[in-house]
């Protein structure tokens, strides 16, 4: 770990992708079926494309969660209490953070944990300007790995983990329980976690959100191959692969694939990988939850749902968790 000055805010750099990208990609391409981890979508261009996705009419998640936060932030702030240290996983542009920090009474510090350097630096610069008294303690890191929590100068009454966007849904249930368990340790006995979850609804609405007409989600997915070409010296032919996202009602998740359009061989860091015509490489899950399903995941991690807020259509929910 080293700390570099991003004047006036100090950024703790845990070097999230440097060591893992090559090993994860080689392992993922060697398996059957081939897989790539979705956390590697978020280089600078990937973070920009994600923001563009949030502005697509089909991608209801951001619009609905922002409106839900606007409507319920005052209530959430009352339940959470004053002088908290907010720790946010996968904070992205920080648009939702603003609403939370604004509503909370005298928040002490803000620790975003982000894998995307450009998203982290941009959001912290904006938030620092807007929330001067809140100490900014950004961490460039992978939230699936142990994250040492920075210590704020002012003592906080409790830690609040904020994890909006249904980013939890990008993890398998086993990975989600592992992350929620680590979260319980991070918040300690007095802490709480506020998690955004996309709820199960009409499959056609869900599927449309991941297959927008403008093709932004497809560009976001395929940008992963652009990144591998640049950073790992791979030679994926962008015209020979296609994005495909399918909702599986049985598992309640969107499964996103990159399909090979023809038989071809791709070289990554000097190693060759053969793709059959039509072969699918699995690159992302986006789980949609039921109340019972989410409460069960939380319980497996030693957490219980103490309060919940849904939008008027029950499309998206925020759940406040505390140690059971
Ligand atoms: N919370 C924001 C952004 C969601 S996009 C919102 O609700 O709109 C998911 C964000 O999580 C991206 O900014 C991405 O860079 C980050 N992310 C994904 N996997 C991560 C990981 N393993 N560790 C840290 N950040 C991660
Ligand atoms: C960040 N995450 C919750 C988004 C999602 O909906 O799964 C990422 C995304 N993938 C395609 N579109 C958006």
């Amino acid at each position: 770990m080293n700390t570099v000055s991003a004047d006036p805010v100090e950024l703790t750099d845990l070097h999230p992708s440097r060591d893992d990208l090559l090993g994860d990609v080689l392992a993922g391409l060697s398996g059957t079926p081939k897989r790539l981890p979705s956390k590697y979508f978020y280089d600078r261009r990937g973070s920009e494309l994600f923001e563009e996705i949030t502005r697509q009419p089909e991608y209801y998640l951001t619009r609905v969660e922002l409106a839900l936060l606007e409507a319920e932030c005052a209530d959430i702030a009352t339940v959470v209490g004053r002088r908290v240290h907010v720790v946010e996983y996968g904070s992205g542009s920080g648009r939702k953070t603003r609403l939370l920090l604004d509503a909370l009474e005298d928040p002490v510090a803000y620790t975003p944990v982000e894998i995307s350097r450009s998203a982290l630096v941009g959001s912290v610069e904006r938030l620092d300007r807007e929330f001067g008294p809140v100490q900014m303690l950004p961490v460039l890191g992978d939230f699936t790995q142990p994250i040492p929590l920075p210590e704020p100068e002012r003592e906080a009454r409790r830690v609040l983990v904020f994890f909006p966007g249904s980013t939890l849904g990008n993890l398998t249930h086993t990975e989600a329980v592992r992350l929620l368990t680590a979260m319980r340790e991070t918040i300690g006995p007095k802490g709480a976690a506020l998690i955004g979850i996309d709820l199960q609804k009409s499959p056609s609405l869900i599927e449309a959100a991941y297959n927008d007409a403008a093709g932004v989600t497809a560009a976001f997915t395929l940008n992963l191959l652009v990144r591998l070409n640049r950073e790992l010296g791979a030679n994926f032919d962008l015209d020979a692969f296609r994005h495909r996202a399918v909702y599986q009602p049985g598992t309640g998740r969107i499964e996103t694939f990159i399909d090979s359009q023809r038989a071809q061989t791709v070289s990554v860091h000097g190693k060759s990988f053969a793709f059959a015509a039509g072969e699918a490489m699995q690159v992302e899950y986006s789980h949609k939850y039921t109340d019972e399903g989410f409460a069960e995941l939380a319980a497996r991690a030693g957490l219980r749902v103490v309060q919940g807020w849904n939008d008027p259509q029950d499309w998206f929910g925020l759940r406040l968790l505390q140690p059971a």
Side-chain angles (χ1 to χ4, degrees):
M1 183 196 333
N2 64 335
T3 304
V4 291
S5 180
D7 200 28
V9 173
E10 299 245 307
L11 183 144
T12 302
D13 189 348
L14 301 177
H15 303 290
S17 303
R18 191 183 60 187
D19 306 329
D20 306 332
L21 179 68
L22 178 62
D24 287 351
V25 167
L26 293 181
L29 293 179
S30 303
T32 310
K34 294 183 177 63
R35 291 178 197 277
L36 293 172
S38 61
K39 65 184 177 189
Y40 295 125
F41 282 147
Y42 302 93
D43 61 356
R44 176 182 291 274
R45 183 70 188 133
S47 290
E48 283 169 8
L49 284 166
F50 175 74
E51 284 309 307
E52 218 174 307
I53 288 174
T54 67
R55 293 190 289 269
Q56 299 311 303
E58 298 92 337
Y59 196 75
Y60 59 83
L61 289 83
T62 308
R63 208 171 45 245
V64 174
E65 191 182 23
L66 278 170
L68 176 60
L69 276 166
E70 266 167 18
E72 304 294 359
C73 249
D75 192 26
I76 293 168
T78 306
V79 180
V80 167
R82 68 198 159 83
R83 283 208 352 256
V84 298
H85 177 184
V86 178
V87 178
E88 181 172 1
Y89 292 173
S91 44
S93 69
R95 265 160 92 196
K96 295 168 188 168
T97 321
R98 289 184 57 246
L99 298 176
L100 182 66
L101 290 180
D102 207 29
L104 288 171
E105 188 185 337
D106 190 22
V108 166
Y110 173 58
T111 297
V113 179
E114 242 303 333
I115 203 166
S116 165
R117 179 182 287 272
S118 61
L120 183 66
V121 170
S123 67
V124 166
E125 269 174 18
R126 285 189 294 275
L127 291 167
D128 189 42
R129 252 181 270 127
E130 193 172 347
F131 298 96
V134 182
Q135 191 182 3
M136 298 284 145
L137 296 167
V139 176
L140 183 62
D142 178 344
F143 58 57
T144 64
Q145 304 298 317
I147 302 285
L149 201 61
E151 194 69 45
E153 279 160 18
R154 262 196 323 141
E155 202 187 330
R157 286 182 63 242
R158 72 193 313 201
V159 172
L160 173 71
V161 165
F162 183 41
F163 194 25
S166 205
T167 302
L168 185 74
N170 296 138
L171 305 181
T172 64
H173 290 333
T174 304
E175 291 166 342
V177 170
R178 202 178 303 139
L179 182 65
L180 290 167
T181 304
M183 204 180 272
R184 195 195 68 215
E185 279 157 24
T186 298
I187 63 178
K190 292 190 303 181
L194 182 65
I195 320 255
I197 51 170
D198 195 18
L199 299 169
Q200 292 189 5
K201 60 184 71 61
S202 152
S204 60
L205 284 167
I206 297 176
E207 215 159 80
Y210 293 84
N211 291 284
D212 61 280
V216 182
T217 307
F220 171 75
T221 305
L222 293 173
N223 178 61
L224 180 53
L225 304 185
V226 178
R227 177 178 190 181
L228 301 187
N229 284 352
R230 187 183 61 244
E231 293 188 25
L232 300 183
N235 65 348
F236 285 97
D237 173 357
L238 272 294
D239 294 326
F241 288 92
R242 198 167 290 167
H243 155 97
R244 178 168 58 93
V246 196
Y247 184 62
Q248 305 285 6
T251 48
R253 69 188 183 197
I254 281 278
E255 298 184 356
T256 300
F257 302 95
I258 296 179
D259 290 346
S260 175
Q261 298 303 290
R262 52 174 165 80
Q264 55 186 319
T265 301
V266 176
S267 152
V268 182
H269 203 74
K271 233 178 155 266
S272 290
F273 296 94
F275 287 79
E279 184 175 346
M281 181 162 50
Q282 195 273 316
V283 294
E284 191 179 50
Y285 292 131
S286 299
H287 288 86
K288 311 302 165 190
Y289 298 98
T290 59
D291 262 337
E292 304 70 47
F294 179 72
E296 192 195 313
L297 284 184
R300 280 166 59 193
L303 293 163
R304 70 192 169 90
V305 179
V306 290
Q307 203 154 336
W309 298 265
N310 286 1
D311 70 285
Q313 297 184 100
D314 291 326
W315 280 14
F316 202 95
L318 287 162
R319 299 290 178 267
L320 191 73
L321 305 180
Q322 284 178 2

